[in-house]
Amino acid sequence: MNEMTNNEATRRTPRLSLIVVAIAAALAMGGTAATAQAQDAATATDTSKARTLEAVTVTGSRIRRKDEVAASPVFTMERSEIEATGVISVGELLQQLPSVGSSFNSTGSAGTSHGSRSLNLRNLGANRSLVLVNGRRWVNGAGTRGFRDFVDLNTIPLAAVERVEVLLDGATAIYGADAIAGVVNIITYSEFDGFQATAYTGITSHGDGFTHNEDALWGKSGDWGSALVSATVSRNNQILAGDRDFSRVPLQGLSRNTPAGRFKNSTPVGGFGTKAFVPDGNGGFRLDNPATDVYNDTPDTTLTGPLDLAGVYGQLRFHLSDHVTFVTEGLYNTRESSQRFPAATPRIRGGDGMTIPADHPYNPFGVDFRGSGTSFEAVRMITELGPRINTQDVDTMRVAAGLEGAFTNSWTWNTFYTYAQNKAKWTSANQIDLDKVALALGPNARCAANNCVPLNIFGEITPEMANYIRATGVDHNGTKQHDFTANLTGDLFKLPAGDLAFAAGVEYRKESGYDRPSAYFNEKPQFITYDRKTTSAPRLPTSGSYNLKEAYVEFSVPLLANLPMARQLELSAATRYSDYNTFGTTTNSKLGLVWRPWDDLMVRTTWAQGFRAPSINELYAGLRQTNLPAIDPCNGGGAGKPGCAGVPTSYNQANYSGGSILSTVGGNPELRPETSVNRSTGFIYTPGFAKGLTWSVDWYDIDLKEAISSFGSQNLLNLCANSGQRCNLIRRDTTGEIINLTDGPINLNRLRAKGVDSTLRYQLPELAMGNVALMFNAAYLESFDRYDTLPSGQVRVMKRAGKSDIARESFPRWKANTSVDWSRASWSANWSMHYIGSTYEGPAPARGRIPAQLTHDVWAAYALRSQPLTFTLGVQNLFDKDPPLSYVNGGDLNFDMSTYNPRGRFIYLKATLSL
């Protein structure tokens, strides 16, 4: 498969558009729809917008309330605030929140996102952050080398979202497993009358990264109920690393794998000794110079990947009677994404059974090269194949139906069943078939018998040669979810301070996943002794499932009311019983207390137990080989470090693998569940002297036991080198090169995170200059400690707050967003700032302290009075700030791709039609 051009990628969009139009029409005609039921359509406790509401359910509680009191901190973004961000996806929206740590996005070829977006609340990992839509679980993602154990936010349609609520507290007792770091509840419109269409297009000031997004929303409501359909088509063009100055040349050094190649033999040949030599450009050869015989393979790799999204979402709510409503919803979403990597470098070694006979038509030396007697090695990046390209095609389908209603005593109930699945095809193109390389370099008679094309590894590689050794593989993977819930809530009886409220429910859930890797890539080689047939890493297939049955009960107990220093004192309590077919039973509880000494101030505190069972991926993922980013501490022999004994002083990792280590990873069926204790304390202040002002501050402490994580490639290397422990997981050859590192999920004992979140909102009194609203949202990471139990029994504590000295893990102490909204008559405008604090990445050759980054976004909009049209012109990253450079965390792209946006200044225009 040849390289996919930009034009070819662009041609996908019309096909996606047709899919969306067809499905939208079918939904509109057939009435398939989705609900945004009032259950879990919560109101944030820290919002400054006063509302007059009937009983609603606050996110973090199943009890319907007539006020906005909640013991747990909830941050809310209304539709107007979502529009003000200028983003076009749920993932991009949520990843801007200060409480979100390093997350998968579309940045980089080696970022392992593969077109998906994740949510990493509190830096505790995407699989510890629960994602709900209208209070119900969403299916896990697919489309990487295997399936995911977290939700891909790109599968959720932003066009139908009315608001987003982020519960920054543990909620296992309320919603079940995975809600350790917090819960995001994405709430769609429940009623929408009219039609709205939006066209969005943008491009960077560098002239690349072209983006367009078109969406439409139609809804109708009446005495019979309501119906809604939304459809979206979106396209993001790629940006390559060579298109930006900061990523054009890797800080970690240029690759020793060059298109010219280098060659060495264990015995003198061609007038050279055993040292490596390279073509001299004149038909001869010369000795290799490690300082100058290098190659920059970064410019043609992905900085931000191309992404096509298309989807349709529908909802229908039909009143069967005055007290019972039928609810159904449906979604179909399709995604196409790809990433470019440097061209493949085949492993050509005599020790692996490769041979080059003396009479080979492209052997310029006339000498037999083989593993026995002579041992040779040829290292050449075969750019004639083009860059390696990974492509993902992912389809998401979700259907659901249920009933909700109310009894005459005001108690309410609901039942709901959901079936959802993700199906993905992964295509890996422009790899190399090593068996065919062996045939093309080997004995002439064997080559002829297998109809092979002889390969000129020492000179010009023709298109025919490249096409013969080219390898393309296709994987298939996916996830499925069955979920049934039933809930009941109401007031049990009156107490002196108010009604004793109650909620209870049951849930049955089954999760399953499968991964069928390419049979071609998994074939055993026939003509070599190396353990893989192609340059793509083989892996074993994965399949697994689990199910669980759960029941919960929740109470809200008013203790005091309307007393001096006790306008309100309320206790909340919940407990949840879970029965897993894989791990048995567990019970987790939560307590909360709300105290309002006077009307302007509310103090809240919670204590919650958390639980997360190992995912299918963590338990059963088939073993696979990969390249993990790490710097070998034994370079140059390791300077006497105990774990570097026997490593030659001549060894330099850059000569072999640059900044990555060949590794084996996979599942661990011996894993135990994680447990946690979450504590939070905070207040909400709404001063009477400043109407429209709300200020909330919440402190949290999350203590996670039996935390499941890989030890980490860099951690393993450092531990072995400095202490001699876990060196059995690292294999080296006689040159010192690491030929395999084994790293998989284990129960690492403990993680503990502490910090403070603060949100301030102020809707100023109406001014002659217009309406002005201010918002400030900040997160401070006090500490993030990882406790690892070593084989000796010693516990090592890694203090991560304020650091970024491990690849793909940045922990800035401060993150904040600030915005100012202004509107007057037909005009409106917004100015926003995004702050990411500084971090420390370690001593030389790292940069030491990575500086803080502050970026600015602005937009202005004008609504035509004569037509229902609004035009918006916006600029993101107004001053074109580059991400701060990082040697350790940046890999070949020189920056932390999980934290910073490398796109630069981005200018967009949006038009919205509302009827």
Side-chain angles (χ1 to χ4, degrees):
M1 176 177 176
N2 293 319
E3 174 185 348
M4 181 187 67
T5 66
N6 285 338
N7 288 336
E8 289 171 331
T10 305
R11 284 198 295 269
R12 295 171 174 170
T13 304
R15 179 173 70 84
L16 298 176
S17 302
L18 291 174
I19 292 173
V20 169
V21 171
I23 298 176
L27 284 175
M29 294 174 63
T32 303
T35 182
Q37 88 182 51
Q39 176 78 20
D40 299 304
T43 301
T45 58
D46 58 0
T47 183
S48 63
K49 300 181 180 179
R51 300 179 188 163
T52 302
L53 294 173
E54 296 181 356
V56 297
T57 304
V58 178
T59 296
S61 172
R62 297 284 189 180
I63 293 174
R64 294 173 65 83
R65 305 170 181 271
K66 293 184 179 180
D67 55 29
E68 297 185 351
V69 174
S72 297
V74 178
F75 176 80
T76 296
M77 295 188 73
E78 300 289 346
R79 183 69 197 189
S80 60
E81 295 173 298
I82 295 172
E83 295 285 352
T85 63
V87 304
I88 57 175
S89 73
V90 170
E92 189 178 1
L93 172 72
L94 294 176
Q95 287 179 355
Q96 290 184 353
L97 297 178
S99 56
V100 175
S102 299
S103 303
F104 290 144
N105 51 55
S106 60
T107 299
S109 59
T112 67
S113 78
H114 302 141
S116 65
R117 281 188 179 269
S118 67
L119 181 72
N120 178 14
L121 287 173
R122 308 288 201 205
N123 297 283
L124 287 172
N127 54 7
R128 301 185 184 104
S129 304
L130 181 60
V131 175
L132 307 174
V133 176
N134 299 321
R136 291 178 286 274
R137 287 177 176 263
W138 203 256
V139 64
N140 284 334
T144 183
R145 286 189 174 92
F147 50 88
R148 300 293 197 182
D149 56 2
F150 57 81
V151 169
D152 175 9
L153 298 174
N154 279 334
T155 62
I156 301 174
L158 183 62
V161 175
E162 183 180 24
R163 66 182 180 276
V164 174
E165 298 175 359
V166 183
L167 171 68
L168 297 172
D169 196 12
T172 295
I174 306 298
Y175 297 113
D178 309 331
I180 288 177
V183 177
V184 171
N185 193 9
I186 299 164
I187 300 162
T188 65
Y189 288 100
S190 59
E191 291 185 357
F192 183 87
D193 278 294
F195 175 80
Q196 180 173 289
T198 300
Y200 173 108
T201 185
I203 194 169
T204 74
S205 57
H206 298 263
D208 53 20
F210 174 75
T211 299
H212 73 80
N213 183 89
E214 295 82 42
D215 59 55
L217 178 65
W218 170 87
K220 184 73 173 177
S221 63
D223 293 339
W224 54 272
S226 62
L228 179 145
V229 176
S230 73
T232 301
V233 175
S234 181
R235 166 71 182 173
N236 292 269
N237 282 0
Q238 70 180 3
I239 301 174
L240 298 179
D243 297 332
R244 298 292 184 271
D245 291 339
F246 65 84
S247 58
R248 188 170 292 127
V249 180
L251 294 173
Q252 293 184 357
L254 301 182
S255 173
R256 292 279 285 127
N257 299 335
T258 71
R262 66 184 188 275
F263 177 76
K264 62 182 179 180
N265 199 54
S266 61
T267 58
V269 64
F272 296 98
T274 60
K275 293 184 178 180
F277 49 100
V278 300
D280 61 8
N282 298 312
F285 295 85
R286 61 173 174 79
L287 283 177
D288 168 59
N289 184 344
T292 58
D293 288 319
V294 292
Y295 179 68
N296 186 2
D297 59 13
T298 300
D300 200 35
T301 61
T302 301
L303 187 64
T304 65
L307 181 70
D308 288 302
L309 284 172
V312 63
Y313 172 79
Q315 69 171 20
L316 173 68
R317 298 169 58 83
F318 186 75
H319 300 317
L320 300 178
S321 70
D322 291 342
H323 300 289
V324 179
T325 299
F326 171 71
V327 183
T328 184
E329 62 180 12
L331 172 134
Y332 175 75
N333 186 84
T334 182
R335 166 168 65 86
E336 298 177 3
S337 54
S338 65
Q339 304 82 40
R340 296 160 65 106
F341 299 80
T345 301
R347 181 181 174 115
I348 303 175
R349 300 183 180 189
D352 294 332
M354 293 280 191
T355 63
I356 307 178
D359 61 352
H360 189 278
Y362 300 110
N363 184 343
F365 304 105
V367 175
D368 276 329
F369 296 107
R370 61 186 66 251
S372 57
T374 64
S375 183
F376 74 94
E377 179 183 63
V379 180
R380 177 175 178 177
M381 178 179 287
I382 303 184
T383 54
E384 292 82 355
L385 274 78
R388 290 168 293 158
I389 298 179
N390 290 339
T391 304
Q392 302 83 40
D393 295 273
V394 184
D395 294 324
T396 305
M397 185 271 288
R398 184 175 186 265
V399 292
L403 297 171
E404 61 181 39
F407 298 110
T408 55
N409 62 357
S410 297
W411 281 50
T412 62
W413 58 271
N414 65 74
T415 63
F416 216 77
Y417 168 74
T418 302
Y419 171 78
Q421 68 174 25
N422 262 311
K423 297 176 67 175
K425 180 177 76 171
W426 167 291
T427 303
S428 181
N430 296 341
Q431 298 286 347
I432 294 176
D433 189 319
L434 299 177
D435 253 354
K436 288 186 175 180
V437 171
L439 286 170
L441 292 176
N444 297 327
R446 187 179 71 177
C447 178
N450 287 275
N451 296 316
C452 89
V453 178
L455 178 65
N456 186 3
I457 198 64
F458 300 106
E460 179 186 1
I461 295 178
T462 66
E464 292 77 17
M465 296 176 186
N467 286 331
Y468 175 71
I469 63 174
R470 191 188 311 272
T472 296
V474 178
D475 305 340
H476 295 272
N477 58 74
T479 59
K480 289 183 180 181
Q481 180 189 74
H482 296 267
D483 191 20
F484 172 79
T485 60
N487 300 284
L488 175 69
T489 181
D491 296 334
L492 290 174
F493 49 81
K494 280 192 173 294
L495 294 174
D499 292 326
L500 175 64
F502 162 85
V506 295
E507 181 170 4
Y508 170 81
R509 180 162 53 93
K510 181 178 181 180
E511 305 277 357
S512 59
Y514 68 90
D515 173 31
R516 297 193 292 268
S518 167
Y520 177 19
F521 286 172
N522 272 356
E523 288 178 8
K524 295 295 182 182
Q526 292 179 291
F527 302 103
I528 57 176
T529 59
Y530 189 40
D531 59 358
R532 62 170 73 174
K533 177 182 173 63
T534 72
T535 50
S536 181
R539 69 179 186 276
L540 297 176
T542 302
S543 179
S545 67
Y546 68 86
N547 65 73
L548 65 153
K549 307 175 187 68
E550 297 184 291
Y552 76 91
V553 63
E554 181 185 5
F555 295 93
S556 178
V557 185
L559 302 177
L560 298 173
N562 302 317
L563 297 175
M565 292 301 293
R567 297 292 296 168
Q568 180 185 24
L569 184 65
E570 181 178 296
L571 173 71
S572 61
T575 190
R576 190 180 193 95
Y577 172 82
S578 306
D579 184 0
Y580 285 77
N581 71 323
T582 48
F583 297 101
T585 63
T586 179
T587 301
N588 297 277
S589 301
K590 181 174 184 176
L591 294 173
L593 188 67
V594 170
W595 172 44
R596 194 184 293 272
W598 55 85
D599 290 339
D600 294 355
L601 178 67
M602 187 186 80
V603 181
R604 58 192 177 193
T605 185
T606 65
W607 172 90
Q609 294 175 313
F611 178 86
R612 188 180 77 87
S615 69
I616 300 169
N617 231 353
E618 292 167 331
L619 289 169
Y620 308 122
L623 294 177
R624 67 179 177 90
Q625 289 185 324
T626 187
N627 290 304
L628 297 178
I631 305 301
D632 193 344
C634 293
N635 272 330
K641 294 174 182 172
C644 298
V647 176
T649 57
S650 59
Y651 165 66
N652 185 340
Q653 178 193 3
N655 290 340
Y656 299 94
S657 57
S660 61
I661 301 295
L662 184 63
S663 307
T664 299
V665 298
N668 179 3
E670 303 301 320
L671 291 173
R672 301 179 299 276
E674 299 176 337
T675 60
S676 69
V677 173
N678 294 37
R679 300 176 180 87
S680 70
T681 300
F683 66 84
I684 303 173
Y685 183 46
T686 53
F689 61 82
K691 297 295 184 182
L693 174 64
T694 300
W695 180 35
S696 69
V697 178
D698 290 281
W699 169 85
Y700 66 88
D701 179 357
I702 304 172
D703 195 356
L704 177 64
K705 302 289 182 63
E706 300 289 345
I708 299 171
S709 177
S710 61
F711 204 81
S713 53
Q714 191 67 63
N715 285 333
L716 281 171
L717 290 172
N718 293 344
L719 179 63
C720 170
N722 296 324
S723 69
Q725 299 186 64
R726 296 192 187 267
C727 291
N728 61 308
L729 300 177
I730 302 166
R731 289 196 296 121
R732 300 178 183 268
D733 66 13
T734 56
T735 68
E737 178 192 5
I738 297 174
I739 57 177
N740 191 62
L741 179 151
T742 302
D743 188 23
I746 57 176
N747 289 95
L748 279 174
N749 192 27
R750 189 181 179 196
L751 291 172
R752 190 167 189 181
K754 297 180 183 179
V756 179
D757 296 308
S758 181
T759 301
L760 186 147
R761 298 178 189 265
Y762 188 27
Q763 177 68 55
L764 275 68
E766 188 171 348
L767 305 172
M769 61 176 290
N771 295 312
V772 178
L774 308 176
M775 190 278 292
F776 174 75
N777 182 23
Y780 173 70
L781 183 63
E782 177 186 341
S783 63
F784 191 96
D785 299 337
R786 171 169 156 169
Y787 299 76
D788 298 332
T789 301
L790 305 179
S792 64
Q794 176 187 1
V795 176
R796 182 186 63 172
V797 182
M798 297 179 61
K799 296 185 176 296
R800 306 293 302 126
K803 295 183 178 180
S804 57
D805 53 357
I806 295 178
R808 302 175 189 161
E809 291 187 17
S810 288
F811 296 84
R813 288 191 181 274
W814 281 103
K815 295 181 75 176
N817 291 334
T818 301
S819 68
V820 179
D821 278 294
W822 169 84
S823 63
R824 181 183 182 188
S826 298
W827 288 95
S828 57
N830 175 275
W831 170 47
S832 301
M833 293 186 294
H834 308 282
Y835 177 80
I836 301 175
S838 63
T839 55
Y840 180 74
E841 70 167 347
R847 294 173 56 86
R849 182 155 295 279
I850 298 175
Q853 184 192 60
L854 179 65
T855 58
H856 302 254
D857 300 342
V858 296
W859 60 260
Y862 179 73
L864 296 179
R865 294 187 178 183
S866 58
Q867 301 290 335
L869 274 172
T870 301
F871 292 96
T872 303
L873 176 64
V875 183
Q876 296 175 348
N877 195 350
L878 178 64
F879 300 109
D880 198 22
K881 289 279 190 179
D882 290 336
L885 298 180
S886 170
Y887 179 88
V888 174
N889 206 284
D892 289 341
L893 296 179
N894 304 333
F895 76 102
D896 177 9
M897 65 188 72
S898 299
T899 300
Y900 303 93
N901 189 335
R903 186 171 57 179
R905 183 187 295 114
F906 183 79
I907 305 161
Y908 66 90
L909 178 65
K910 181 170 67 171
T912 302
L913 171 68
S914 300
L915 299 174

